[in-house]
Amino acid sequence: MLSFLFKKQSQVENLIYVYLDTLKSTQKSFLTALEACLLNGAFCENFEYLIVQTHKFESKADDIREEVKSLMYEKALIPESRGDIMLLLDAMDIIPHLFEKVLYSIQTQKLSLPDFILSDTKELIKISLECCDLMNREVIALFKKNERMRDLLTQIDSNESHCDHIERRIITKLFDAPIDPFQKLQMKELIGLIGEISDQADRVSKRINIINIKRRV
């Protein structure tokens, strides 16, 4: 009986690693789309294709998440652990949806980044995606116990605060600039969406920390 349960738990763990790989592919496609069509200052002809690719990876991540949940409901994990893993997956799954929302905003509103916020926005995206990388490592560390989780938690928290600072700096520049007020609001909304990526990675990180503490009690 116990060997059966351990086998199921191993299946859940392996599926979560597949989910993290898919999340990484979604992140890579998202960054490629931004670099090609927003950060370079002009829309590119491949933008539609890159959005479709990002959506495919996001959809695959959704499928894997549902597969993990189905496996857990087949008594793969005790109810308490099952609840923690489900909440963790749901929290992580908000991030690929944010990638899509950013790209869809650029596509539907025909957005183009003003030069005076280009450098800050690049920095915001870079650090936000670093938060996602650290979050992935923290999830793996939760299962494998191969890294100091407290260090990862601290790094993500620090990066998230840095992103908040950059976000405020960009919005200040926007509202100081002599540009169309409607464009200011469009850019503010876009920057807010990008900033939400690090916020969500930080929420996931804190949830992982709680799961880890519960395991040690």
Side-chain angles (χ1 to χ4, degrees):
M1 181 63 181
L2 282 176
S3 61
F4 167 78
L5 286 177
F6 285 137
K7 183 181 177 183
K8 288 285 188 182
Q9 291 192 31
S10 176
Q11 287 177 321
V12 169
E13 187 177 327
N14 288 334
L15 268 178
I16 289 172
Y17 297 149
V18 175
Y19 176 89
L20 292 176
D21 287 341
T22 307
L23 184 59
K24 187 71 182 173
S25 297
T26 315
Q27 178 179 322
K28 186 177 178 182
S29 180
F30 166 72
L31 181 59
T32 302
L34 284 185
E35 286 177 336
C37 301
L38 182 69
L39 298 183
N40 288 337
F43 285 98
C44 66
E45 60 184 20
N46 290 330
F47 196 49
E48 297 289 336
Y49 168 77
L50 292 168
I51 289 177
V52 170
Q53 288 298 108
T54 305
H55 174 70
K56 282 183 179 176
F57 286 124
E58 183 276 331
S59 182
K60 183 180 176 184
D62 271 346
D63 292 342
I64 296 168
R65 181 182 58 132
E66 291 308 311
E67 192 177 349
V68 173
K69 286 185 175 182
S70 296
L71 190 57
M72 286 192 297
Y73 271 114
E74 291 170 2
K75 300 181 180 178
L77 294 175
I78 60 175
E80 185 180 1
S81 298
R82 190 167 63 202
D84 283 337
I85 298 299
M86 286 176 63
L87 289 173
L88 176 61
L89 280 170
D90 287 341
M92 281 197 295
D93 204 52
I94 291 173
I95 290 176
H97 284 284
L98 285 170
F99 292 157
E100 275 196 317
K101 285 180 74 173
V102 170
L103 296 183
Y104 286 147
S105 291
I106 296 167
Q107 179 192 41
T108 56
Q109 299 179 47
K110 310 291 188 288
L111 299 180
S112 184
L113 214 62
D115 288 344
F116 65 89
I117 61 168
L118 182 60
S119 176
D120 286 329
T121 306
K122 283 183 176 178
E123 187 180 3
L124 177 63
I125 292 168
K126 175 177 175 289
I127 299 174
S128 296
L129 297 186
E130 282 178 4
C131 282
C132 295
D133 291 336
L134 291 166
M135 180 198 76
N136 280 13
R137 284 170 55 187
E138 195 178 357
V139 174
I140 293 170
L142 178 68
F143 290 99
K144 292 186 179 296
K145 304 185 188 305
N146 58 351
E147 282 194 85
R148 284 178 55 84
M149 295 182 63
R150 172 60 62 178
D151 291 345
L152 294 168
L153 175 77
T154 302
Q155 286 181 61
I156 292 171
D157 184 59
S158 173
N159 279 7
E160 189 272 333
S161 296
H162 192 181
C163 284
D164 285 347
H165 177 73
I166 298 169
E167 193 178 334
R168 286 194 296 274
R169 189 167 70 214
I170 294 172
I171 291 172
T172 300
K173 285 184 178 179
L174 276 172
F175 282 83
D176 284 343
I179 61 174
D180 181 79
F182 184 67
Q183 187 185 11
K184 291 180 182 180
L185 293 176
Q186 283 183 308
M187 287 297 124
K188 179 176 180 286
E189 182 182 79
L190 179 67
I191 296 302
L193 270 179
I194 296 172
E196 183 62 22
I197 293 170
S198 62
D199 290 342
Q200 188 59 29
D202 188 52
R203 292 184 196 106
V204 173
S205 172
K206 288 180 168 55
R207 184 170 295 282
I208 293 169
N209 186 50
I210 290 171
I211 294 172
N212 190 43
I213 290 170
K214 285 169 67 177
R215 285 184 174 183
R216 287 189 277 113
V217 172

